Amino acid sequence: MNKLHKDVSCSQCGVRSHSLFAEFNDKEVDVLSEHKSCSYYKKKQAVFLEGSNPRGVFCINKGKVKVFTMGDEGKEQIIHLAKEGEIIGYRSMFSGQPYQVSAETLEECNICFISKENFTSMIDSNSILRNGILSELSKELNERSKTITQMSQKSVRDRLAYSLILLKDIYQDEDINLSREDLANLIGTATETLIRLIKQFKEEGFIEIKGRKIKIVSLSALKTIAGK
Amino acid sequence: MNKLHKDVSCSQCGVRSHSLFAEFNDKEVDVLSEHKSCSYYKKKQAVFLEGSNPRGVFCINKGKVKVFTMGDEGKEQIIHLAKEGEIIGYRSMFSGQPYQVSAETLEECNICFISKENFTSMIDSNSILRNGILSELSKELNERSKTITQMSQKSVRDRLAYSLILLKDIYQDEDINLSREDLANLIGTATETLIRLIKQFKEEGFIEIKGRKIKIVSLSALKTIAGK
DNA sequence: CGAATCTTTGAAAGACGTCAACATTGGTGG
DNA sequence: CCACCAATGTTGACGTCTTTCAAAGATTCG
């Protein structure tokens, strides 16, 4: 990716078709495009911070972002991994609260910004977008219910299997490329415990390790461990 | 409460002012009232079931309801406790999925039902309700993020303290009256572990026990344990 | 009053976190 | 381009929190 970032027009944006803006007509896309601004983010750069006030939403054009909260003892809990096409940062916007989570890039990213005013006016005038957002929020709520249940009822080993399946979806054909610490913070365990379990999975032949990168060899085995 | 339940008019409903319908004008309240139907639910009665298809939303007029998922091994995880004035069951409705959670009364309840058609048409025509729902969904999402973090980072003891604080809010001046199993399923632990910790809290003087009922004596001590 | 359900206690095993030491890696400046 | 340092990853040992199983009390409700 070029460090000298060029604005991408929304009409040219390859990931728009997978986003909440997929159903926009040409006119709406143009309006959107006029009102957004794009930025290049380097790896590990903050997108927004827990406690600050939302000024708009972020649309990921390229790259992956982790969304996390900071626990009382300063340990991160990763709540969500966002990839190309996803919009982040709108939840707290609707509730009028400061951000309850932080977002940080996991790799180099292009991320567009749409101001609160523009976004809310789009919602008011566009029932498809509105319904898309309601649907999205509802699905996320369901996902988080599931995560809560997992956290409280499943062993770390089971959760690792489950998370690897999730990550497969996010990284597609690429190898999974997260720091051990991030992976541990996603699963909700200590880094050392995670490392031991990764080793187990490798020895059992479910995954391959190349440095920090993880390649899933037997998705089906992982699914068996992860449960439903 | 009388088993022979009488329909309450929404205009007469004492808890409407704490609900999403608080901002409705007289006309809107009348429309709402016409389209809803009320039912009496006995204790431990199902309101809706995980896996079934949403046909509308439920507005709690009286009583408390637990919302929970069933983990792989058949253990409940309570996601939320709903009380008077709350509307439940609309999340899956928006996402077009079957219910991902079940809801069951914790005590005798009066619960009104509003059909999907009526509810969505209200949303479409009423931007205040719409924004209220967006705000509500967002807040819940934030709460669940916090719960995930708690589940993964806090000890059962800390979580018990936290949950008791929450329950104080729900039961107000009444004593907390949940089965040990429900309390364990809220906190995400085994019933036996919960019982041992309750005993500890009693011995430490934070709470009093009267049969299954729990009375909070020192909220501040619990807050210290629960953390931020 | 008795059956069923809920609650409590004990004992033992296991999962997981923490601490400490060591190994490896990747990025940076020389 | 290399060498070095800081950050990241790995391993071992140990303690403890939590679960599980089993069984005995206590309540509740018909």
Side-chain angles (χ1 to χ4, degrees):
Chain A
M1 189 185 304
N2 201 322
K3 285 233 174 187
L4 295 168
H5 165 75
K6 282 196 213 122
D7 262 24
V8 193
S9 156
C10 297
S11 61
Q12 306 293 316
C13 176
V15 297
R16 190 175 59 82
S17 59
H18 309 113
S19 82
L20 276 172
F21 304 121
E23 308 293 335
F24 271 28
N25 62 34
D26 291 352
K27 176 115 198 311
E28 290 165 332
V29 171
D30 285 345
V31 173
L32 175 62
S33 212
E34 270 171 44
H35 290 305
K36 72 108 173 59
S37 58
C38 289
S39 301
Y40 165 84
Y41 287 73
K42 56 188 176 192
K43 190 175 174 173
K44 293 201 181 194
Q45 192 175 341
V47 181
F48 55 80
L49 290 176
E50 193 171 346
S52 66
N53 278 106
R55 281 196 259 271
V57 301
F58 299 87
C59 184
I60 305 174
N61 172 62
K62 175 131 191 47
K64 296 175 184 54
V65 174
K66 68 173 171 181
V67 178
F68 60 96
T69 61
M70 200 60 93
D72 285 2
E73 272 89 49
K75 186 175 159 66
E76 283 181 14
Q77 176 62 45
I78 297 181
I79 302 293
H80 181 68
L81 294 176
K83 62 176 181 190
E84 290 88 352
E86 280 191 58
I87 298 170
I88 58 175
Y90 57 86
R91 290 129 198 96
S92 287
M93 217 182 68
F94 291 132
S95 67
Q97 301 170 310
Y99 287 120
Q100 309 284 306
V101 293
S102 301
E104 187 184 300
T105 58
L106 287 169
E107 50 192 49
E108 294 189 312
C109 287
N110 273 338
I111 302 178
C112 301
F113 176 81
I114 303 152
S115 76
K116 185 170 173 169
E117 293 70 34
N118 286 320
F119 193 65
T120 48
S121 83
M122 278 187 257
I123 289 175
D124 283 334
S125 62
N126 188 323
S127 69
I128 295 181
L129 175 60
R130 194 155 73 218
N131 291 335
I133 286 184
L134 282 174
S135 171
E136 197 53 42
L137 285 171
S138 303
K139 277 184 196 156
E140 272 182 58
L141 223 28
N142 283 334
E143 262 169 46
R144 292 201 191 170
S145 304
K146 198 173 171 187
T147 305
I148 291 171
T149 307
Q150 285 231 355
M151 287 289 179
S152 94
Q153 298 189 4
K154 297 273 196 169
S155 67
V156 176
R157 180 183 161 93
D158 294 352
R159 267 144 53 202
L160 172 58
Y162 181 81
S163 292
L164 288 173
I165 296 167
L166 252 171
L167 287 165
K168 170 85 178 166
D169 206 56
I170 291 171
Y171 282 87
Q172 304 277 358
D173 299 326
E174 293 172 66
D175 291 340
I176 295 166
N177 189 6
L178 271 182
S179 74
R180 295 293 184 253
E181 193 177 356
D182 279 343
L183 194 43
N185 290 343
L186 174 65
I187 292 165
T189 189
T191 309
E192 296 93 327
T193 303
L194 171 89
I195 287 170
R196 290 183 178 106
L197 287 167
I198 282 186
K199 194 181 171 188
Q200 272 189 25
F201 277 15
K202 189 184 72 177
E203 285 164 358
E204 293 173 273
F206 307 152
I207 58 175
E208 281 170 13
I209 307 289
K210 311 168 187 171
R212 67 143 56 169
K213 293 185 182 172
I214 298 172
K215 184 194 187 74
I216 291 177
V217 178
S218 171
L219 198 60
S220 58
L222 293 179
K223 282 182 178 165
T224 306
I225 296 170
K228 79 163 173 204
Chain B
M1 187 184 307
N2 201 322
K3 284 234 173 189
L4 294 169
H5 165 75
K6 283 198 210 118
D7 261 25
V8 192
S9 156
C10 297
S11 60
Q12 305 294 317
C13 175
V15 297
R16 191 176 59 81
S17 59
H18 309 112
S19 82
L20 276 171
F21 303 121
E23 309 292 337
F24 271 28
N25 61 36
D26 292 351
K27 174 115 200 307
E28 290 165 334
V29 172
D30 286 344
V31 174
L32 175 62
S33 212
E34 270 171 44
H35 290 305
K36 71 115 176 51
S37 58
C38 288
S39 302
Y40 165 83
Y41 287 74
K42 56 188 176 191
K43 190 174 174 175
K44 293 201 179 195
Q45 192 175 341
V47 182
F48 55 79
L49 289 176
E50 193 170 346
S52 65
N53 278 107
R55 282 196 258 270
V57 301
F58 300 87
C59 185
I60 305 174
N61 171 64
K62 175 126 192 48
K64 296 177 184 50
V65 173
K66 67 173 173 182
V67 179
F68 60 96
T69 62
M70 201 58 95
D72 284 2
E73 272 89 49
K75 186 176 160 63
E76 284 181 13
Q77 176 62 44
I78 297 182
I79 302 294
H80 180 67
L81 294 176
K83 62 176 179 187
E84 290 88 353
E86 278 192 61
I87 297 169
I88 59 176
Y90 58 85
R91 291 127 198 96
S92 287
M93 216 183 67
F94 291 133
S95 67
Q97 301 169 310
Y99 286 120
Q100 310 283 305
V101 293
S102 301
E104 187 184 300
T105 58
L106 287 169
E107 50 192 46
E108 294 190 314
C109 288
N110 273 339
I111 302 178
C112 300
F113 177 80
I114 303 152
S115 76
K116 185 171 174 170
E117 293 70 33
N118 286 320
F119 193 66
T120 49
S121 83
M122 278 187 255
I123 288 175
D124 282 334
S125 62
N126 188 323
S127 69
I128 294 181
L129 175 61
R130 196 157 72 219
N131 290 335
I133 286 184
L134 282 175
S135 172
E136 198 53 41
L137 286 170
S138 303
K139 278 184 195 156
E140 272 181 58
L141 221 28
N142 283 333
E143 262 167 46
R144 294 200 190 170
S145 305
K146 198 173 170 186
T147 305
I148 292 171
T149 308
Q150 286 231 355
M151 288 289 180
S152 93
Q153 297 190 5
K154 298 274 196 169
S155 67
V156 177
R157 180 183 161 92
D158 294 354
R159 269 148 45 205
L160 172 58
Y162 181 81
S163 291
L164 287 174
I165 295 167
L166 253 170
L167 286 165
K168 169 85 178 165
D169 207 56
I170 292 171
Y171 282 88
Q172 304 278 359
D173 299 326
E174 294 172 66
D175 291 341
I176 295 165
N177 189 5
L178 271 181
S179 74
R180 295 292 183 253
E181 192 176 358
D182 279 342
L183 193 44
N185 290 342
L186 175 65
I187 291 166
T189 189
T191 308
E192 296 92 328
T193 305
L194 171 90
I195 287 170
R196 289 181 179 107
L197 288 167
I198 282 187
K199 194 180 171 189
Q200 271 189 27
F201 277 15
K202 189 184 71 176
E203 284 164 358
E204 292 173 274
F206 307 152
I207 58 175
E208 280 169 12
I209 308 289
K210 311 169 189 170
R212 67 142 57 167
K213 293 185 181 173
I214 298 172
K215 184 195 188 72
I216 292 177
V217 177
S218 171
L219 198 61
S220 58
L222 293 179
K223 281 183 178 166
T224 306
I225 296 170
K228 80 165 175 204

